[in-house]
Amino acid sequence: MPAKDLDQVVNLCKRRGFVYPSGEIYGGFRSSYDYGPLGSLMLRNVKEAWVRTMVQQRDDVVLIDAAILGAPQVFEASGHLSNFSDPLVDCTVCKRRFRQDQIDDRDCPQSKKGCEFTDARAFNLMFKTHAGPVEGEGATVYLRPETAQGMFVNFANVLQTSRKKPPFGIAQVGKSFRNEITPGNFIFRTREFEQMELEFFVPPSESAQWYDYWCKSRLQWYIDYGIPAEMLRIREHAKDELSHYSAGTSDIEFLFPWGWGELEGIAQRTDYDLKQHAEHSRQKLEYFDQSTNERYVPYVVEPAAGANRTMAAFLLAAYDEDLVNDEPRTVLRLHPRLAPFQIAVLPLSKKDTLMPLAKKIHAMLGMRYMCDFDETQAIGRRYRRQDEIGTPYCVTVDFDSLEDDSVTIRERDTTAQSRVKIDVLMSEFSQRLGY
Ligand code: ATP
């Protein structure tokens, strides 16, 4: 399967209200994006799909929601203050700054002529701010650059309160911030983004097998939610690529229009994080196994994914164009769980006679599913719009509905239509959608 065209998807996102450049009325703001009426629903669905698989459908993972603002001690212990940096060089010709690993020899990416670069300097990617009314040393706080530290600093709290024992995991979904030097490629790399991370704590001897398990099951998750296997690959990091704490890392990559790009990293973090925080906080961060009388610091396997990047991958994979009755159409073949709306309720006419019934059906289906309601335009154009935003089913309420208590269900992918009684509509969708 070839990579998809980015511009088509970016245009669709803008046109239909998935993603807008942030602060667009002021010319946009530094590679930031706002998620519109449809994009916010889809992003939420991506995160919910992750939580369903990683927390809801397991008995060994709990969810937390930790603070975004963090004390310097946390990031001192984690190594972010000293290590979380990119090497930067300045071009003395165009006066711009680049990541050292993104320039070829002495060719400046902007001016394209041979020019002089300064020596590399480490640039810390964390956003720094201050808490309280007085700026100064004691007031410095950081916006978290990953959600993971929230799981490590709460390890003892969760262990005490959740009655879990290794192997068990702590999961979190939330915003992270990195002062990226080269944000870009739409929502692939931004300075503010959402992560979906699991820290899975295991007995040290089981680390390799759990790493293997998480690599396989995370890859399968993307396939289950509709990305063709040939647009995905697992890439194991070479030894010289590994972070200082990692005993092995693999990236799940997607074939983006510009090439393979990381969706998720799965790392064996060993006992690095818990030991660092134990040392800096002088607290015991270990597990006492009563059955063996053994005390140990668990090893950690971390699958860390990005919600926004993943959403971009789902959109790109789902984008399709085909012909319906010789008419070209654009269709997003999104998994129903990821689509902004599962169902659209469409009264055939705006006449007062149809509206109350259509609204009643919308309210009924809305108890379980996110449903659009659209009474504008000709019905064919409304179907096209729903196809384009990925809605798997339309329910058309027509004048016959008033007589036969039935409606027409139209399927997005096949455009097939069938007539269904209103009183069995809920169970019909439960069967079709699987929930
Ligand atoms: P990259 O090499 O692309 O900078 P990374 O290896 O630094 O990513 P991790 O620290 O492993 O990323 O973070 C886990 C996940 O968080 C990534 O796989 C990605 O999906 C997401 N992520 C990281 N940085 C960004 C960003 N700037 N914008 C959007 N998503 C991001």
Side-chain angles (χ1 to χ4, degrees):
M1 164 141 342
K4 302 290 178 73
D5 187 306
L6 183 65
D7 286 346
Q8 283 172 329
V9 173
V10 173
N11 288 341
L12 188 152
C13 281
K14 173 81 205 306
R15 195 170 65 241
R16 292 305 191 186
F18 281 83
V19 180
Y20 315 118
S22 187
E24 199 182 12
I25 57 168
Y26 294 105
F29 173 67
R30 296 169 177 265
S31 300
S32 292
Y33 291 92
D34 294 339
Y35 291 71
L38 301 186
S40 59
L41 291 178
M42 182 172 173
L43 186 62
R44 197 178 71 153
N45 289 345
V46 170
K47 294 182 284 183
E48 280 181 0
W50 186 89
V51 171
R52 200 176 310 116
T53 303
M54 304 297 274
V55 183
Q56 190 175 326
Q57 295 181 324
R58 306 183 63 95
D59 59 10
D60 56 359
V61 176
V62 294
L63 188 67
I64 64 163
D65 192 345
I68 286 172
L69 290 176
Q73 292 94 307
V74 172
F75 301 112
E76 208 175 292
S78 68
H80 281 95
L81 273 178
S82 48
N83 291 323
F84 196 61
S85 53
D86 279 339
L88 291 194
V89 295
D90 290 310
C91 166
T92 52
V93 174
C94 66
K95 310 286 182 217
R96 285 169 188 259
R97 189 163 280 180
F98 301 99
R99 259 169 65 172
Q100 191 184 32
D101 59 343
Q102 291 182 346
I103 50 172
D104 295 332
D105 276 340
R106 311 209 68 76
D107 243 359
C108 169
Q110 291 299 321
S111 48
K112 300 278 179 224
K113 42 189 171 199
C115 51
E116 292 300 318
F117 291 112
T118 57
D119 288 342
R121 287 182 302 118
F123 174 81
N124 195 291
L125 296 180
M126 274 196 298
F127 279 102
K128 193 172 169 179
T129 182
H130 62 272
V134 187
E135 281 188 51
E137 261 312 294
T140 301
V141 294
Y142 292 91
L143 302 191
R144 64 181 180 193
E146 59 175 26
T147 63
Q149 297 310 316
M151 281 77 110
F152 299 127
V153 299
N154 281 296
F155 173 77
N157 281 338
V158 173
L159 201 60
Q160 274 160 21
T161 51
S162 70
R163 288 170 294 145
K164 297 286 175 210
K165 55 180 194 173
F168 85 102
I170 310 179
Q172 187 173 192
V173 175
K175 289 235 167 161
S176 293
F177 302 81
R178 297 182 187 177
N179 196 0
E180 299 276 5
I181 315 306
T182 46
N185 283 333
F186 191 38
I187 53 175
F188 178 81
R189 187 182 304 284
T190 48
R191 295 197 174 95
E192 173 182 347
F193 55 96
E194 291 197 75
Q195 291 189 304
M196 311 183 287
E197 296 195 289
L198 169 70
E199 306 305 323
F200 202 70
F201 300 92
V202 302
S205 62
E206 296 178 18
S207 175
Q209 102 202 27
W210 280 108
Y211 171 62
D212 197 42
Y213 166 87
W214 282 115
C215 285
K216 290 197 177 95
S217 59
R218 290 305 304 149
L219 178 68
Q220 190 58 42
W221 185 81
Y222 294 96
I223 297 170
D224 290 346
Y225 278 99
I227 299 186
E230 59 272 27
M231 295 185 89
L232 292 165
R233 74 174 187 191
I234 284 223
R235 189 183 67 83
E236 189 155 19
H237 284 207
K239 283 266 176 301
D240 62 353
E241 237 184 308
L242 292 176
S243 324
H244 55 290
Y245 52 76
S246 174
T249 298
S250 291
D251 289 344
I252 297 178
E253 296 185 335
F254 174 76
L255 187 57
F256 283 98
W258 56 90
W260 292 98
E262 172 183 335
L263 292 179
E264 167 160 1
I266 298 137
Q268 293 194 68
R269 297 180 73 117
T270 68
D271 55 4
Y272 173 81
D273 306 274
L274 288 181
K275 278 198 165 149
Q276 285 291 108
H277 284 298
E279 192 188 313
H280 282 73
S281 66
R282 301 206 180 82
Q283 306 280 321
K284 278 208 168 94
L285 299 180
E286 50 193 26
Y287 175 69
F288 178 64
D289 189 339
Q290 285 174 333
S291 62
T292 58
N293 256 354
E294 207 193 338
R295 193 177 285 281
Y296 65 88
V297 180
Y299 271 31
V300 169
V301 179
E302 176 198 76
N308 318 77
R309 267 189 205 183
T310 300
M311 173 169 154
F314 283 127
L315 282 168
L316 283 158
Y319 186 92
D320 196 14
E321 290 170 357
D322 65 1
L323 290 177
V324 171
N325 303 330
D326 294 330
E327 293 263 330
R329 75 163 175 167
T330 300
V331 52
L332 278 186
R333 300 190 191 280
L334 288 171
H335 187 287
R337 287 277 203 173
L338 301 180
F341 299 112
Q342 285 73 53
I343 302 166
V345 177
L346 312 176
L348 194 64
S349 126
K350 265 194 248 188
K351 291 223 168 75
D352 286 348
T353 36
L354 285 186
M355 280 307 208
L357 180 60
K359 293 218 157 147
K360 205 171 112 192
I361 292 171
H362 180 261
M364 175 183 78
L365 295 172
M367 300 286 284
R368 189 177 299 154
Y369 308 108
M370 190 61 74
C371 300
D372 197 8
F373 189 90
D374 186 2
E375 76 278 27
T376 61
Q377 298 183 318
I379 192 71
R381 296 187 67 159
R382 280 186 269 168
Y383 285 152
R384 292 291 170 278
R385 177 176 180 276
Q386 295 300 333
D387 291 341
E388 209 180 17
I389 65 174
T391 310
Y393 296 106
C394 291
V395 166
T396 311
V397 183
D398 56 26
F399 292 101
D400 287 344
S401 305
L402 300 171
E403 308 298 322
D404 65 3
D405 297 319
S406 301
V407 287
T408 300
I409 296 181
R410 174 194 180 268
E411 255 181 36
R412 172 194 71 197
D413 291 338
T414 59
T415 72
Q417 304 198 359
S418 48
R419 198 82 185 154
V420 174
K421 284 273 183 213
I422 295 168
D423 59 0
V424 297
L425 209 49
M426 203 67 155
S427 57
E428 173 72 24
F429 278 118
S430 160
Q431 214 164 33
R432 287 184 187 228
L433 291 161
Y435 69 105

Coordinates of all heavy atoms in Angstrom, one line a residue, residues 139-187:
A139 N 11.2 29.2 42.6 CA 9.9 29.1 42.0 C 9.8 28.4 40.6 O 8.8 28.3 40.0 CB 9.4 30.6 41.8
T140 N 11.0 27.9 40.2 CA 11.1 27.3 38.9 C 10.3 26.0 38.8 O 10.4 25.1 39.7 CB 12.5 26.9 38.5 OG1 13.2 28.2 38.5 CG2 12.6 26.3 37.1
V141 N 9.4 25.8 37.8 CA 8.7 24.6 37.6 C 8.8 24.2 36.1 O 9.1 25.1 35.3 CB 7.2 24.6 38.0 CG1 7.1 24.8 39.5 CG2 6.5 25.7 37.3
Y142 N 8.6 23.0 35.8 CA 8.7 22.6 34.4 C 7.3 22.0 33.9 O 6.6 21.3 34.7 CB 9.8 21.5 34.2 CG 11.1 22.1 34.5 CD1 11.7 22.1 35.7 CD2 11.8 22.7 33.4 CE1 12.9 22.7 36.0 CE2 13.1 23.2 33.6 CZ 13.6 23.2 34.9 OH 14.9 23.8 35.1
L143 N 7.0 22.2 32.7 CA 5.9 21.4 32.1 C 6.4 20.1 31.7 O 7.5 20.0 31.1 CB 5.4 22.1 30.8 CG 4.9 23.6 30.9 CD1 4.2 23.9 29.6 CD2 4.0 23.7 32.0
R144 N 5.7 19.0 32.1 CA 6.3 17.7 31.9 C 6.6 17.4 30.4 O 5.7 17.7 29.5 CB 5.4 16.6 32.5 CG 4.0 16.5 31.8 CD 3.1 15.5 32.4 NE 1.8 15.4 31.7 CZ 0.8 14.8 32.2 NH1 0.8 14.1 33.4 NH2 -0.3 14.8 31.5
P145 N 7.7 16.8 30.1 CA 8.0 16.5 28.7 C 7.6 15.1 28.3 O 7.7 14.6 27.2 CB 9.6 16.5 28.7 CG 10.0 16.1 30.0 CD 8.9 16.6 31.0
E146 N 7.1 14.3 29.3 CA 6.5 13.0 29.1 C 5.6 12.7 30.3 O 5.7 13.3 31.3 CB 7.6 11.9 29.0 CG 8.4 11.8 30.2 CD 9.5 10.7 30.2 OE1 9.9 10.3 29.1 OE2 9.9 10.3 31.3
T147 N 4.6 11.8 30.1 CA 3.7 11.5 31.3 C 4.4 10.5 32.2 O 3.9 10.4 33.4 CB 2.4 11.0 30.8 OG1 2.6 9.7 30.1 CG2 1.7 11.9 29.9
A148 N 5.4 9.8 31.8 CA 6.0 8.7 32.5 C 6.4 9.0 33.9 O 6.2 8.1 34.8 CB 7.2 8.1 31.7
Q149 N 7.0 10.2 34.2 CA 7.5 10.4 35.5 C 6.3 10.4 36.5 O 6.5 10.1 37.7 CB 8.2 11.7 35.6 CG 9.5 11.8 34.7 CD 10.4 10.5 34.9 OE1 10.6 10.1 36.1 NE2 10.9 10.0 33.8
G150 N 5.1 10.7 36.1 CA 4.0 10.7 37.0 C 3.7 9.2 37.5 O 3.3 9.1 38.7
M151 N 4.0 8.2 36.7 CA 3.8 6.9 37.1 C 5.0 6.4 38.1 O 4.7 5.7 39.1 CB 3.9 5.9 35.9 CG 2.6 5.9 35.2 SD 2.4 7.3 34.1 CE 2.5 6.6 32.5
F152 N 6.2 6.9 37.8 CA 7.3 6.5 38.7 C 7.2 7.2 40.1 O 7.3 6.5 41.1 CB 8.6 6.8 38.1 CG 8.9 6.1 36.8 CD1 9.2 6.8 35.6 CD2 8.7 4.8 36.7 CE1 9.4 6.2 34.4 CE2 8.9 4.1 35.5 CZ 9.2 4.8 34.4
V153 N 6.8 8.5 40.1 CA 6.8 9.1 41.4 C 5.6 8.6 42.2 O 5.5 8.8 43.5 CB 6.8 10.7 41.3 CG1 8.1 11.1 40.7 CG2 5.6 11.2 40.6
N154 N 4.6 8.1 41.6 CA 3.4 7.5 42.3 C 3.5 6.0 42.5 O 2.5 5.4 42.9 CB 2.1 7.9 41.5 CG 1.7 9.3 41.8 OD1 1.4 9.7 43.0 ND2 1.7 10.2 40.8
F155 N 4.6 5.4 42.2 CA 4.7 4.0 42.3 C 4.3 3.4 43.6 O 3.4 2.5 43.7 CB 6.1 3.5 41.9 CG 6.4 2.1 42.2 CD1 5.9 1.1 41.3 CD2 7.0 1.6 43.3 CE1 6.1 -0.2 41.5 CE2 7.3 0.2 43.5 CZ 6.8 -0.7 42.6
A156 N 4.8 4.0 44.7 CA 4.5 3.5 46.0 C 3.0 3.8 46.4 O 2.4 2.9 47.0 CB 5.4 4.2 47.1
N157 N 2.5 5.0 46.0 CA 1.1 5.3 46.3 C 0.2 4.3 45.6 O -0.7 3.8 46.2 CB 0.8 6.7 45.7 CG 1.2 7.8 46.6 OD1 1.4 7.6 47.8 ND2 1.4 9.0 46.0
V158 N 0.5 4.0 44.4 CA -0.4 3.0 43.6 C -0.3 1.6 44.2 O -1.3 0.9 44.4 CB -0.1 3.1 42.1 CG1 -0.8 2.0 41.4 CG2 -0.4 4.5 41.5
L159 N 1.0 1.2 44.5 CA 1.2 -0.1 45.1 C 0.4 -0.3 46.3 O -0.3 -1.3 46.5 CB 2.7 -0.3 45.3 CG 3.2 -1.7 45.4 CD1 2.9 -2.5 44.1 CD2 4.7 -1.7 45.8
Q160 N 0.4 0.8 47.2 CA -0.3 0.7 48.5 C -1.8 0.7 48.3 O -2.6 0.0 49.0 CB 0.0 1.9 49.4 CG 1.3 1.6 50.2 CD 1.9 2.9 50.7 OE1 1.1 4.0 50.7 NE2 3.1 2.9 51.0
T161 N -2.3 1.4 47.3 CA -3.8 1.6 47.2 C -4.5 0.7 46.3 O -5.7 0.6 46.3 CB -4.1 3.1 46.9 OG1 -3.3 3.5 45.7 CG2 -3.7 4.0 48.0
S162 N -3.7 0.1 45.4 CA -4.4 -0.7 44.3 C -4.4 -2.2 44.5 O -5.0 -2.9 43.7 CB -3.8 -0.3 42.9 OG -2.6 -0.9 42.9
R163 N -3.7 -2.7 45.5 CA -3.5 -4.1 45.7 C -3.1 -4.9 44.5 O -3.5 -6.0 44.2 CB -4.8 -4.7 46.3 CG -5.1 -4.2 47.7 CD -6.5 -4.6 48.2 NE -7.5 -3.8 47.4 CZ -8.7 -4.3 47.1 NH1 -9.0 -5.5 47.4 NH2 -9.5 -3.6 46.4
K164 N -2.2 -4.2 43.7 CA -1.6 -4.9 42.6 C -0.2 -5.4 42.9 O 0.4 -4.8 43.9 CB -1.5 -4.0 41.4 CG -2.8 -3.5 40.8 CD -3.5 -4.5 40.1 CE -4.9 -4.1 39.6 NZ -5.9 -5.1 39.5
K165 N 0.3 -6.4 42.3 CA 1.7 -6.7 42.4 C 2.3 -7.1 41.1 O 1.6 -7.4 40.2 CB 1.8 -7.9 43.4 CG 1.0 -9.1 43.0 CD 1.2 -10.3 44.0 CE 0.6 -11.5 43.3 NZ 0.8 -12.7 43.9
P166 N 3.6 -6.9 41.0 CA 4.3 -7.2 39.7 C 4.0 -8.6 39.2 O 4.0 -9.5 40.0 CB 5.8 -6.9 39.9 CG 5.8 -6.1 41.2 CD 4.6 -6.5 42.0
P167 N 3.7 -8.8 37.9 CA 3.7 -7.8 36.9 C 2.4 -7.0 36.9 O 1.3 -7.6 36.8 CB 3.8 -8.7 35.6 CG 3.3 -10.0 36.0 CD 3.6 -10.2 37.4
F168 N 2.5 -5.7 36.9 CA 1.3 -4.8 36.8 C 1.7 -3.5 36.2 O 2.9 -3.2 36.2 CB 0.6 -4.6 38.2 CG 1.3 -3.5 39.0 CD1 0.6 -2.3 39.1 CD2 2.5 -3.7 39.6 CE1 1.2 -1.2 39.8 CE2 3.0 -2.7 40.4 CZ 2.4 -1.5 40.5
G169 N 0.7 -2.8 35.7 CA 1.1 -1.5 35.0 C 0.3 -0.3 35.6 O -0.8 -0.4 36.1
I170 N 0.9 0.9 35.4 CA 0.2 2.1 35.6 C 0.2 2.9 34.3 O 1.3 3.1 33.6 CB 1.0 3.0 36.7 CG1 1.3 2.1 37.9 CG2 0.1 4.2 37.0 CD1 2.0 2.9 39.0
A171 N -1.0 3.3 33.9 CA -1.2 3.9 32.6 C -1.6 5.4 32.8 O -2.2 5.7 33.8 CB -2.3 3.2 31.8
Q172 N -1.3 6.2 31.8 CA -1.7 7.5 31.8 C -1.9 8.1 30.4 O -1.1 7.8 29.5 CB -0.7 8.4 32.6 CG -1.2 9.8 32.8 CD -0.3 10.7 33.7 OE1 -0.7 11.7 34.1 NE2 0.9 10.2 34.0
V173 N -2.9 9.0 30.3 CA -3.1 9.7 29.0 C -3.1 11.1 29.3 O -3.8 11.6 30.2 CB -4.4 9.3 28.3 CG1 -4.7 10.1 27.1 CG2 -4.4 7.8 28.0
G174 N -2.3 11.9 28.6 CA -2.4 13.4 28.9 C -1.3 14.2 28.1 O -0.5 13.6 27.4
K175 N -1.4 15.5 28.4 CA -0.5 16.4 27.6 C 0.9 16.4 28.1 O 1.2 16.2 29.3 CB -1.1 17.8 27.8 CG -2.4 18.0 27.0 CD -2.3 19.2 26.0 CE -3.5 19.1 25.1 NZ -3.8 20.4 24.5
S176 N 1.8 16.5 27.1 CA 3.2 16.7 27.4 C 3.7 17.8 26.5 O 3.1 18.2 25.5 CB 4.0 15.4 27.0 OG 3.6 14.4 27.9
F177 N 4.8 18.4 26.9 CA 5.3 19.6 26.2 C 6.8 19.5 25.9 O 7.6 19.1 26.8 CB 5.1 20.8 27.1 CG 3.6 21.0 27.5 CD1 3.1 20.3 28.5 CD2 2.9 21.9 26.7 CE1 1.7 20.4 28.8 CE2 1.5 22.0 27.1 CZ 0.9 21.3 28.1
R178 N 7.2 19.7 24.7 CA 8.6 19.7 24.4 C 8.9 20.9 23.5 O 8.2 21.1 22.5 CB 9.0 18.4 23.7 CG 8.8 17.2 24.5 CD 9.3 16.0 23.8 NE 8.9 14.8 24.6 CZ 9.1 13.5 24.3 NH1 9.7 13.3 23.1 NH2 8.8 12.6 25.1
N179 N 10.0 21.6 23.8 CA 10.3 22.8 23.0 C 11.1 22.3 21.8 O 12.3 22.5 21.6 CB 11.1 23.8 23.8 CG 11.2 25.1 23.2 OD1 10.6 25.4 22.1 ND2 11.9 26.0 23.8
E180 N 10.3 21.6 20.9 CA 11.0 21.0 19.7 C 11.6 22.1 18.8 O 11.0 23.2 18.6 CB 9.9 20.3 18.9 CG 9.2 19.1 19.6 CD 10.0 17.8 19.5 OE1 11.1 17.8 19.0 OE2 9.5 16.8 20.0
I181 N 12.7 21.8 18.3 CA 13.4 22.8 17.4 C 12.8 22.8 16.0 O 12.7 23.8 15.4 CB 14.9 22.4 17.2 CG1 15.5 22.0 18.5 CG2 15.7 23.5 16.5 CD1 15.4 23.0 19.6
T182 N 12.4 21.6 15.6 CA 11.9 21.5 14.2 C 10.5 20.8 14.3 O 10.4 19.7 13.9 CB 12.8 20.7 13.3 OG1 13.2 19.5 14.0 CG2 14.0 21.5 12.9
P183 N 9.5 21.5 14.8 CA 8.1 20.9 14.7 C 7.7 20.9 13.3 O 8.3 21.6 12.4 CB 7.3 21.9 15.5 CG 8.0 23.2 15.5 CD 9.4 22.9 15.3
G184 N 6.7 20.1 13.0 CA 6.3 20.1 11.6 C 5.6 18.8 11.2 O 5.4 17.9 12.0
N185 N 5.4 18.7 9.8 CA 4.6 17.6 9.3 C 3.2 17.5 10.0 O 2.9 16.5 10.6 CB 5.3 16.3 9.4 CG 6.4 16.2 8.4 OD1 6.3 16.8 7.3 ND2 7.5 15.4 8.7
F186 N 2.5 18.6 9.9 CA 1.1 18.7 10.4 C 1.1 18.3 11.9 O 1.9 18.9 12.6 CB 0.3 17.7 9.6 CG -1.2 17.8 9.8 CD1 -1.9 19.0 10.0 CD2 -2.0 16.6 9.8 CE1 -3.2 19.1 10.1 CE2 -3.4 16.7 10.0 CZ -4.0 17.9 10.2
I187 N 0.3 17.4 12.4 CA 0.3 17.1 13.8 C 1.3 16.1 14.2 O 1.2 15.5 15.4 CB -1.2 16.7 14.3 CG1 -1.7 15.6 13.4 CG2 -2.1 18.0 14.2 CD1 -3.1 15.1 13.9

